[in-house]
Amino acid sequence: MQARLNVFGSDATARVIKHFAAAGKAVATGTTLPQATRELVLLRVSQINGCAGCVDMHTKDAVHAGETTERLFMVAAWREAPCFTDAERAALELAEHGTRIADAAGGVPDDVWANAAKHYDEEQLAGLVATIAVINAFNRLNVLTQQPAGDYQPGMYA
């Protein structure tokens, strides 16, 4: 696939990407949200949005961080997969509802939020919300501009 736009060659998109990346790094390093949970959420949201570049990146980053390939294979079917904790399931459910806002009038249902709040404290919930928001922004930029996937190596944008 040929990219529609060189996002790193455009001053406007390069500045935006810099801020998106800083926001993602702030969540990764500034909250107590478990890294494994964060990686699962990044992958699931990217799957929903059909962002090949982010699926490539976050699968490889998760493996690099010690996640098993078996669990990564099951992220798309997390409801039926016994390999996820109740807390991880709550995070994935929140991620799905937070990504598919247009599919449900009224946004994220109260019961979905309450389930996540059973497993995560306020700081971790803030980290989840920020992670979901930032990856959705990245996904949209990549999908709109048809960024190619497959060449990512863990840490190459660090």
Side-chain angles (χ1 to χ4, degrees):
M1 176 187 318
Q2 182 72 24
R4 290 177 171 157
L5 180 70
N6 177 356
V7 295
F8 294 106
S10 160
D11 288 341
T13 53
R15 281 193 306 272
V16 169
I17 289 169
K18 179 181 172 183
H19 290 290
F20 285 176
K25 190 171 196 158
V27 175
T29 61
T31 72
T32 58
L33 181 65
Q35 181 180 3
T37 301
R38 186 173 168 276
E39 292 295 342
L40 294 173
V41 165
L42 291 168
L43 176 57
R44 184 62 189 131
V45 170
S46 298
Q47 290 172 336
I48 292 166
N49 288 327
C51 182
C54 289
V55 168
D56 179 46
M57 174 188 285
H58 297 299
T59 300
K60 290 173 179 176
D61 282 348
V63 168
H64 185 74
E67 186 59 77
T68 66
T69 54
E70 291 79 12
R71 281 173 36 102
L72 293 175
F73 293 152
M74 298 306 294
V75 168
W78 63 267
R79 285 177 181 81
E80 295 82 23
C83 58
F84 300 108
T85 67
D86 289 343
E88 290 168 336
R89 289 173 189 283
L92 290 166
E93 183 179 37
L94 182 63
E96 286 191 1
H97 282 276
T99 298
R100 294 182 167 140
I101 292 172
D103 295 344
V108 176
D110 290 340
D111 63 321
V112 171
W113 183 265
N115 188 36
K118 284 190 324 192
H119 299 284
Y120 299 99
D121 64 27
E122 192 166 304
E123 177 186 334
Q124 292 169 324
L125 283 170
L128 270 172
V129 168
T131 296
I132 295 163
V134 170
I135 193 60
N136 269 288
F138 264 122
N139 290 166
R140 279 148 177 78
L141 185 134
N142 287 337
V143 171
L144 281 166
T145 61
Q146 293 185 339
Q147 295 303 302
D151 294 332
Y152 178 77
Q153 296 300 314
M156 72 185 273
Y157 296 128

